[in-house]
Each structure stands twice: as C-alpha cells, then as structure tokens.
Amino acid sequence: MANKLVAVYILVSIVVVAATMWVSPVAAEGDDNESFKSCYKECEDECKEDGTNSEMCEVKCHAKCGVEEVKD
C-alpha cells in the first residue's frame, strides 16, 4: 500500500511541476505580438470599467484579441 502512495505522490508531483513550467503562448512569442497586447490591454480596461470581474474579462479579451490576431 505504501508503494502505491509513493507512486501516486511522485506522479502528482511531476504533473504539478510540468503545469508550473508551462509557458503561455503570449509570453513565448515575445515582442512579436504587440497588436495582441495593445488589444488585450484596451479590452481589459473597458471590461473592468463595466464592472465585470477580472476572470471574465480575461476570458473575453483573450478570445476577442486572439481572433483578431489570427485574422491578421
């Protein structure tokens, strides 16, 4: 039983480390995505002014600005 618990602990630790090392595509692209960054900042500011919480603004603005960047 103890061996199974150790194996599960190691597996969970590996998953957590992998998840924390994940780099978002926005951060990985560096300065190549200035249009996305400016779109996102503008969208986020407008969204928060409307009283929407930050999590919903993040989802909304990523979707909106991501689509616009793909179009370009």
Side-chain angles (χ1 to χ4, degrees), residues 4 8 18-20 22-23 25-27 36 39 47 50 57-59 72:
K4 289 181 183 179
V8 168
T20 58
W22 180 264
V23 177
V26 172
F36 177 85
C39 172
C47 185
D50 293 340
C57 289
E58 182 177 347
V59 171
D72 294 340

Side-chain angles (χ1 to χ4, degrees), residues 5-26:
L5 289 176
V6 171
V8 168
Y9 176 76
I10 291 172
L11 182 62
V12 169
S13 298
I14 291 171
V15 170
V16 168
V17 168
T20 58
M21 293 178 64
W22 180 264
V23 177
S24 72
V26 172

Side-chain angles (χ1 to χ4, degrees), residues 44-55:
E44 185 178 44
D45 291 342
E46 290 174 5
C47 185
K48 287 182 179 179
E49 285 177 7
D50 293 340
T52 308
N53 67 19
S54 61
E55 290 83 13

Side-chain angles (χ1 to χ4, degrees), residues 26 35-37 39-40 58-72:
V26 172
S35 62
F36 177 85
K37 289 179 183 177
C39 172
Y40 183 84
E58 182 177 347
V59 171
K60 174 186 170 188
C61 295
H62 269 286
K64 175 186 172 193
C65 298
V67 168
E68 289 180 12
E69 186 171 16
V70 169
K71 286 180 184 177
D72 294 340

